[in-house]
Amino acid sequence: MRFFMALAETLHFGRAAERMNMSQPPFSRQIAMIERTLGVKLFERNSRSVALTPAGKHFMEDCRNVLGQFEDACRDVRLVASGMKGELRLGFMMHAAHSVVPELVQLYAKARPDVRLVLDERTPTEIDEMLVAGTLDAAVTFDCGYAPHLQTVLLARERLRIIMREDHPLATVGQIYPEKLREEKVIAAPAATAPALRSAINSYFSAKGIVPHVVLEPRLQHTIIQLVAKGLGVALIPASLCTGMGTGLISRTLTDAPQLDVVLRAPMTTKNPAVSAFMEIGKSIQRTSL
Amino acid sequence: MRFFMALAETLHFGRAAERMNMSQPPFSRQIAMIERTLGVKLFERNSRSVALTPAGKHFMEDCRNVLGQFEDACRDVRLVASGMKGELRLGFMMHAAHSVVPELVQLYAKARPDVRLVLDERTPTEIDEMLVAGTLDAAVTFDCGYAPHLQTVLLARERLRIIMREDHPLATVGQIYPEKLREEKVIAAPAATAPALRSAINSYFSAKGIVPHVVLEPRLQHTIIQLVAKGLGVALIPASLCTGMGTGLISRTLTDAPQLDVVLRAPMTTKNPAVSAFMEIGKSIQRTSL
DNA sequence: TACGATCAATGCTTTCAGGGTATCAGATGG
DNA sequence: CCATCTGATACCCTGAAAGCATTGATCGTA
């Protein structure tokens, strides 16, 4: 096709051959072969002039397209391999949607506008499974410790706060000691859904020798807040979620509040070259937020 | 690219090679060469499994497009060469627009829906020039006799009628003898514009020894009718133009009315393969109209 | 754990597709 | 009529790429 285009544009075998870095005789043969293969005369030629047939004129348009798309494909595959283009599937837990994810996504979209970000909100356990399954390229979740096959970037530290209805007896207290919660009904996600969060809550109580009354274990953070609003108990949630919960709910600082690490994680052996830049953005956020 | 697609679809070197009608070792080398040329790893492979990298997955989409367009281009160029697709520039004189051209165009568009018809209304002399220059592929015009480099299909025979204002003295006569026109002011296109038409008119008069008073010589048939409507003279025009001239004008039969052949013409040596089918349609119209 | 089966990679040989040089043949202009 | 330009042909030769045989790695299985 490049041979054909060279001749179609120059209408001169010698110059077209030169453009293709070859001598005229083999070039003539190539053109003849193309015509023979297609079974179509593309050029009307005698020893003094070369002209396109109607079929050749039409073919020229098509060739221009095909060659252009071919070049684009070769360029793009290099861009994808370099991580400048492609797709990145990012999982994140609901807590992160309110804090670090928007900033992370915005910065990355600016740095890599041609990478399509597929966002997928999941529970922490789902995230872990999807990371090892390869369904996700990276994820924002709580640090649940040991994970040798994952690379980890610390994004932020979040303290837990307690939330309750504004008509709750403890609402008048400014800062709440754990002992005050001995008799409270607590709502918390099950360990199977959010191990890091749940274990932080459990440790917080057990350090004071308290066994919390966990009355409800919804899987979604959203549901927990709703249930607290209905007056079914109190809950310990990350500080970043305590703004804009809606009316009727208040949050209070906890004494020696448990701290959770929000991390960006990706498989060590990821094949997606778009991930590394994403991890770098994560590190830059870490520097500004800690 | 076909090698790449074969492997991307089968994910198995042996089967992909078989699909490409070659043995596995050279096929492996081809894939390796593609990766080396692009500088991009397209497959993740060990001795037990083959998988696409993200770059490979992206490249697969692009390759599918490029190969598809390539196939289309090869198919289309054959269609253009066979006359099933392409473009046909048809010239025609204004008289023909009212008679045979619509039918011709409609029949051809039905038979060759992928040929784009470019219609170009011109005066007969312009048409002749454009046919030899190759600006037109075919044309509907009056038969002006000798034209050895043109192929000709007779489409219809048209008698001339005379038109005049309805308040003209001759308007009361049903059929008009040429002698009656001896004193009339006649409006007719110049011989340089419509030689066949003008010479038919001239012969008609000179056969009776009359020299017509040609008072105005507009180039366009449209103008002639307008001038007759203004009462500036009478005119001899093809019968097919006499319907729907607008109010105030009438047409009358001429005794021994001159006859003109409306023909479809194309260069003998036309390179446009869409023309031959067009000439065939012309022949079929001839059979029905004569 | 050892063996066989599977599958991609590698080494070696061979062939022909395709490039180069020389030349021919037809057309054009001085 | 000759010089020149241009595309086509004839012939040769190189190296890209195909085939065959083999290796090496990884499973599954006895």
Side-chain angles (χ1 to χ4, degrees):
Chain A
M1 277 190 160
R2 293 182 54 241
F3 289 171
F4 168 77
M5 284 301 289
L7 183 56
E9 284 172 2
T10 62
L11 294 178
H12 188 289
F13 277 79
R15 278 187 278 280
E18 188 180 9
R19 184 187 292 191
M20 293 295 102
N21 302 311
M22 58 165 65
S23 59
Q24 173 262 321
F27 182 82
S28 287
R29 277 197 301 264
Q30 287 296 329
I31 295 294
M33 164 122 87
I34 292 169
E35 291 185 324
R36 194 150 19 89
T37 308
L38 289 175
V40 171
K41 256 214 153 8
L42 298 171
F43 296 97
E44 210 60 54
R45 51 191 181 278
N46 52 46
S47 45
R48 292 306 284 181
S49 70
V50 179
L52 281 163
T53 61
K57 220 169 277 180
H58 188 96
F59 195 52
M60 194 172 147
E61 303 303 314
D62 285 350
C63 281
R64 209 190 302 281
N65 283 338
V66 171
L67 289 175
Q69 297 223 1
F70 175 78
E71 295 298 333
D72 288 352
C74 293
R75 187 172 44 76
D76 285 358
V77 75
R78 277 184 257 257
L79 286 178
V80 173
S82 74
M84 293 300 294
K85 191 179 159 85
E87 184 177 288
L88 192 149
R89 289 156 305 172
L90 177 68
F92 62 95
M93 53 181 189
M94 187 266 195
H95 318 93
H98 288 252
S99 54
V100 72
V101 164
E103 187 186 355
L104 197 56
V105 164
Q106 191 182 2
L107 282 173
Y108 188 71
K110 197 166 187 177
R112 295 283 187 271
D114 290 333
V115 177
R116 196 157 55 94
L117 270 175
V118 179
L119 300 179
D120 203 351
E121 183 182 333
R122 298 282 179 167
T123 65
T125 340
E126 284 175 328
I127 285 175
D128 287 348
E129 289 164 0
M130 290 172 79
L131 277 178
V132 301
T135 320
L136 290 177
D137 294 312
V140 179
T141 183
F142 287 133
D143 188 359
C144 53
Y146 179 71
H149 59 290
L150 297 176
Q151 47 182 317
T152 301
V153 170
L154 178 62
L155 292 177
R157 290 223 158 85
E158 285 220 72
R159 291 195 179 276
L160 296 187
R161 291 171 67 83
I162 185 168
I163 61 168
M164 62 195 79
R165 279 170 67 109
E166 57 189 8
D167 56 4
H168 192 277
L170 287 175
T172 54
V173 185
Q175 176 168 344
I176 293 179
Y177 293 83
E179 288 81 359
K180 296 269 188 188
L181 300 174
R182 192 179 296 271
E183 302 301 326
E184 290 298 328
K185 291 175 180 165
V186 177
I187 304 173
T193 299
L197 179 61
R198 183 56 183 268
S199 100
I201 294 171
N202 286 351
S203 314
Y204 182 60
F205 286 107
S206 63
K208 304 291 175 177
I210 303 169
V211 178
H213 288 253
V214 179
V215 290
L216 290 165
E217 294 194 321
R219 296 178 61 250
L220 303 181
Q221 205 66 12
H222 202 71
T223 316
I224 293 177
I225 296 174
Q226 293 252 318
L227 295 177
V228 171
K230 291 252 192 272
L232 296 175
V234 302
L236 274 60
I237 67 172
S240 65
L241 280 183
C242 294
T243 56
M245 287 180 299
T247 55
L249 283 178
I250 56 157
S251 73
R252 289 287 176 267
T253 309
L254 288 165
T255 310
D256 299 331
Q259 227 178 39
L260 282 164
D261 289 349
V262 177
V263 294
L264 174 58
R265 288 199 152 163
M268 291 294 285
T269 64
T270 183
K271 293 304 168 193
N272 190 336
V275 169
S276 64
F278 199 77
M279 300 304 280
E280 291 305 313
I281 302 264
K283 283 181 196 163
S284 75
I285 284 189
Q286 167 193 4
R287 277 193 293 278
T288 60
S289 71
L290 292 185
Chain B
M1 278 192 160
R2 294 182 54 240
F3 289 173
F4 168 78
M5 284 302 288
L7 183 56
E9 284 171 2
T10 62
L11 294 178
H12 188 290
F13 277 78
R15 278 187 278 280
E18 189 180 9
R19 185 188 292 193
M20 293 294 102
N21 301 312
M22 60 166 68
S23 59
Q24 172 262 319
F27 182 82
S28 287
R29 278 195 296 264
Q30 286 295 330
I31 295 294
M33 162 122 88
I34 292 170
E35 292 185 324
R36 193 149 21 87
T37 308
L38 290 175
V40 171
K41 254 211 153 13
L42 299 171
F43 297 97
E44 211 59 56
R45 51 189 181 278
N46 52 46
S47 46
R48 294 306 286 180
S49 70
V50 179
L52 281 163
T53 62
K57 221 170 276 181
H58 187 96
F59 195 52
M60 194 172 145
E61 303 303 315
D62 285 351
C63 281
R64 209 191 300 281
N65 284 338
V66 171
L67 289 176
Q69 298 224 0
F70 175 79
E71 296 297 332
D72 288 352
C74 294
R75 187 173 44 75
D76 284 359
V77 75
R78 277 185 257 257
L79 286 177
V80 174
S82 75
M84 293 300 295
K85 193 179 158 85
E87 185 177 288
L88 192 148
R89 289 156 303 172
L90 176 68
F92 61 95
M93 53 182 189
M94 187 266 196
H95 319 92
H98 288 253
S99 54
V100 72
V101 164
E103 188 186 356
L104 197 57
V105 165
Q106 190 182 3
L107 282 174
Y108 188 71
K110 197 167 187 176
R112 295 283 187 273
D114 290 333
V115 177
R116 196 158 56 93
L117 270 175
V118 180
L119 299 180
D120 202 350
E121 183 182 333
R122 298 283 178 166
T123 64
T125 342
E126 284 175 328
I127 284 175
D128 287 347
E129 289 163 1
M130 291 172 80
L131 277 178
V132 299
T135 320
L136 290 176
D137 294 312
V140 179
T141 184
F142 286 133
D143 188 0
C144 54
Y146 180 70
H149 58 291
L150 297 175
Q151 49 183 314
T152 301
V153 170
L154 178 62
L155 292 177
R157 288 222 158 86
E158 285 219 72
R159 290 195 180 273
L160 296 187
R161 290 170 67 83
I162 185 167
I163 60 167
M164 61 196 78
R165 279 171 68 111
E166 56 189 9
D167 57 5
H168 191 278
L170 286 174
T172 54
V173 185
Q175 175 167 345
I176 294 179
Y177 293 82
E179 287 81 2
K180 297 267 189 188
L181 300 173
R182 193 179 295 271
E183 301 301 323
E184 290 298 326
K185 292 174 179 164
V186 176
I187 304 172
T193 299
L197 179 60
R198 183 57 182 269
S199 100
I201 293 172
N202 286 351
S203 315
Y204 182 61
F205 285 107
S206 62
K208 305 290 175 179
I210 304 169
V211 177
H213 289 254
V214 178
V215 289
L216 289 166
E217 293 194 322
R219 296 179 60 253
L220 302 181
Q221 205 66 14
H222 201 71
T223 316
I224 293 177
I225 296 175
Q226 293 252 318
L227 295 177
V228 171
K230 291 253 192 269
L232 296 174
V234 302
L236 274 59
I237 67 172
S240 64
L241 280 183
C242 293
T243 56
M245 287 181 298
T247 57
L249 283 178
I250 56 158
S251 74
R252 289 287 175 266
T253 309
L254 289 164
T255 311
D256 299 329
Q259 226 177 40
L260 282 163
D261 289 350
V262 177
V263 293
L264 174 59
R265 286 200 154 163
M268 291 295 284
T269 64
T270 183
K271 293 302 168 195
N272 189 336
V275 170
S276 64
F278 198 78
M279 301 304 279
E280 291 305 313
I281 302 261
K283 283 181 197 164
S284 75
I285 284 188
Q286 168 194 2
R287 276 193 293 281
T288 59
S289 72
L290 291 186

